Amino acid sequence: MRRGGLPRDVVKGVEAVVDDVAERGLEAALRYSEQFDGVKPSAPIVEPRAGGDPAVVKAALEAAESLRRVYKRLVPPDAVDYYGGFMRLVSWRPVDKAALYVPARYISTLVMLAVPASLAGVREIYVVTPPRGVTEELLAVAKELGVKGVLQIGGPHGLAYAVFHIGVDVVAGPGGLYVQAGKYVLSQYVGVDGIEGPTELVVYAEGVAPEVAAKGAMAQLEHGPTSFAHVLSPDEELLRAVEEIYRREKTSSMGPLHVKKVAGVEEAARVVDEIAPEHLEVWGRRELAFMVKNVGAVSINAPSPYLDYVAGICHVLPTGGTARWRGPVTPLNFLKPIGVAEAVGSVDPALAEAARVLAKYEGFQRHFEAI
Ligand SMILES: NC(=O)c1ccc[n+]([C@@H]2O[C@H](COP(=O)([O-])OP(=O)(O)OC[C@H]3O[C@@H](n4cnc5c(N)ncnc54)[C@H](O)[C@@H]3O)[C@@H](O)[C@H]2O)c1
Ligand SMILES: N[C@H](CO)Cc1c[nH]c[nH+]1
């Protein structure tokens, strides 16, 4: 079974873009910016600065505070242990430089990425965004969140520039197919967070009005034609009404909405686990949230746009079935565990003997002698 994955032709095209930017640097990145975004910025990197609409900046900083309260608890402590004559330490260290991809005007996505990166302790944080995304509000929020520079070149070419010419160690962030293919290609050279492509939602609704069940779905479909939503319910009438709302209100740029009758939460949990969606919205039967295994984030009795903005959960979430093994971006995406073993006093003879047995079994004479 093959699920998700990126279209091979997109990956191939993006590979050529990445290689070209790796070789020819800024000149190539600017040429692609002109080709795909119609703009050739005069200065590639803009320094964050105060300004913009104060109400927007304040709202973004409120979202940041809400996120920070939860995500600071996700910064792991170092693990220390003494055994057999060794002090063993697993020490979490931040990467030095990170690039955060922010699709144009997604100021909330800047918040969702910059807070975990700065909690991790990344020394230099860069934002990569298409030129039309570089607004005074974005620059002001970037400044408040400790961003060093905003690269106003988007798409895979912007990410490639950050990797090969700014020297970032990690790239993270959501975007369309080209950006996700860019991260996939760049994962050969730097750390990436995963695939966070077009938005996906499953809604489970029981005992609520169809308007309530439809609201989150219509919101997430607003992200574009490649997004999708499913509405599950044991109530056929509710499903029919939701379909009617979709038919009435959908625009040509919205993705598809599917409805499915399920017997109850057990069947719904199986369907959700099979789809492994980015978002799950649960109305009326909160236990479903704790039954599912494969989902990026769950909103209970609240429309998922709350989670997108202020509920304190990172909205950079796995898509394309990757919620089977990943969750939201957290400080861990910017941290690496470094192992340290220090001989303190003499090594336990039984442990030393075990090491010699293993070296001998593997045929490593010099290892044996070193021990
Ligand atoms: N999963 C998540 O966590 C999450 C969160 C927020 C947003 N999203 C998704 O992010 C997406 C945002 O998409 P978007 O299109 O606005 O922004 P985007 O920045 O991902 O894609 C647009 C950019 O791609 C580049 N591009 C276009 N055609 C190209 C080509 N042929 N080759 C190389 N590069 C090319 C251009 O630079 C353009 O600015 C939406 O689909 C939304 O659903 C996902
Ligand atoms: N719904 C997106 C996650 O899939 C996040 C977002 C940003 N802005 C609005 N919504």
Side-chain angles (χ1 to χ4, degrees):
M1 181 179 67
R2 204 174 97 189
R3 296 200 316 174
L6 295 159
R8 295 292 186 262
D9 56 329
V10 171
V11 172
K12 226 167 156 215
V14 164
E15 237 161 21
V17 169
V18 166
D19 288 348
D20 196 18
V21 174
E23 252 167 60
R24 296 195 304 114
L26 189 56
E27 194 195 328
L30 289 174
R31 188 173 75 73
Y32 291 116
S33 180
E34 194 167 28
Q35 181 179 342
F36 298 126
D37 289 298
V39 186
K40 199 171 174 179
S42 50
I45 299 182
V46 187
E47 209 180 303
R49 57 179 179 241
D53 180 342
V56 175
V57 176
K58 182 167 174 274
L61 296 179
E62 273 178 26
E65 181 49 26
S66 177
L67 189 70
R68 193 177 293 114
R69 287 175 66 95
V70 184
Y71 280 59
K72 69 181 179 195
R73 300 187 190 187
L74 290 172
V75 178
D78 290 352
V80 193
D81 185 53
Y82 289 86
Y83 182 71
F86 283 102
M87 185 280 290
R88 295 92 58 82
L89 167 69
V90 180
S91 171
W92 291 95
R93 313 261 169 97
V95 300
D96 197 43
K97 297 184 191 177
L100 312 179
Y101 191 84
V102 176
R105 292 198 77 88
Y106 280 65
I107 202 164
S108 57
T109 299
L110 163 59
V111 167
M112 299 293 162
L113 293 165
V115 168
S118 84
L119 283 170
V122 177
R123 193 175 61 84
E124 285 186 12
I125 300 175
Y126 293 87
V127 166
V128 176
T129 194
R132 68 185 182 287
V134 185
T135 62
E136 289 303 322
E137 288 78 16
L138 179 109
L139 291 171
V141 174
K143 184 177 165 66
E144 291 289 335
L145 298 181
V147 171
K148 186 173 167 65
V150 175
L151 177 66
Q152 48 180 343
I153 303 176
H157 37 294
L159 288 174
Y161 184 82
V163 168
F164 297 111
H165 305 288
I166 297 179
V168 301
D169 308 294
V170 160
V171 299
L177 277 183
Y178 293 103
V179 165
Q180 298 314 307
K183 289 196 302 176
Y184 170 69
V185 172
L186 290 166
S187 70
Q188 299 169 88
Y189 312 101
V190 292
V192 302
D193 47 353
I195 303 289
E196 289 112 357
T199 299
E200 309 167 344
L201 170 72
V202 174
V203 179
Y204 179 84
E206 207 180 312
V208 289
E211 291 71 22
V212 171
K215 271 217 156 65
M218 296 305 285
Q220 299 302 352
L221 294 177
E222 197 174 30
H223 282 292
T226 47
S227 291
F228 66 78
H230 292 257
V231 180
L232 314 176
S233 179
D235 180 345
E236 257 175 84
E237 216 172 288
L238 180 145
L239 292 176
R240 263 198 301 277
V242 167
E243 264 185 316
E244 184 45 40
I245 293 171
Y246 175 69
R247 261 196 297 275
R248 218 174 42 232
E249 296 182 8
K250 80 169 180 193
T251 65
S252 57
S253 64
M254 280 184 175
L257 177 127
H258 313 276
V259 299
K260 184 178 169 65
K261 183 172 190 267
V262 289
V265 281
E266 284 78 15
E267 187 184 351
R270 284 195 295 275
V271 174
V272 170
D273 282 341
E274 182 55 32
I275 298 171
E278 179 197 2
H279 283 277
L280 170 65
E281 230 181 79
V282 181
W283 294 97
R285 294 291 297 272
R286 71 185 297 282
E287 65 268 37
L288 178 60
F290 307 96
M291 294 163 70
V292 292
K293 293 190 294 251
N294 302 334
V295 66
V298 188
S299 308
I300 307 175
N301 293 339
S304 48
Y306 265 120
L307 194 144
D308 286 336
Y309 292 121
V310 292
I313 298 295
C314 178
H315 79 208
V316 180
L317 296 163
T319 58
T322 64
R324 282 179 295 145
W325 67 89
R326 280 205 50 242
V329 162
T330 71
L332 284 175
N333 290 95
F334 305 98
L335 289 165
K336 56 209 167 116
I338 295 184
V340 179
E342 181 182 8
V344 284
S346 51
V347 176
D348 180 337
L351 213 55
E353 180 53 17
R356 279 192 288 270
V357 167
L358 293 171
K360 208 165 166 189
Y361 176 79
E362 292 184 349
F364 287 124
Q365 180 60 22
R366 301 284 180 149
H367 281 63
F368 179 89
E369 284 165 17
I371 294 156

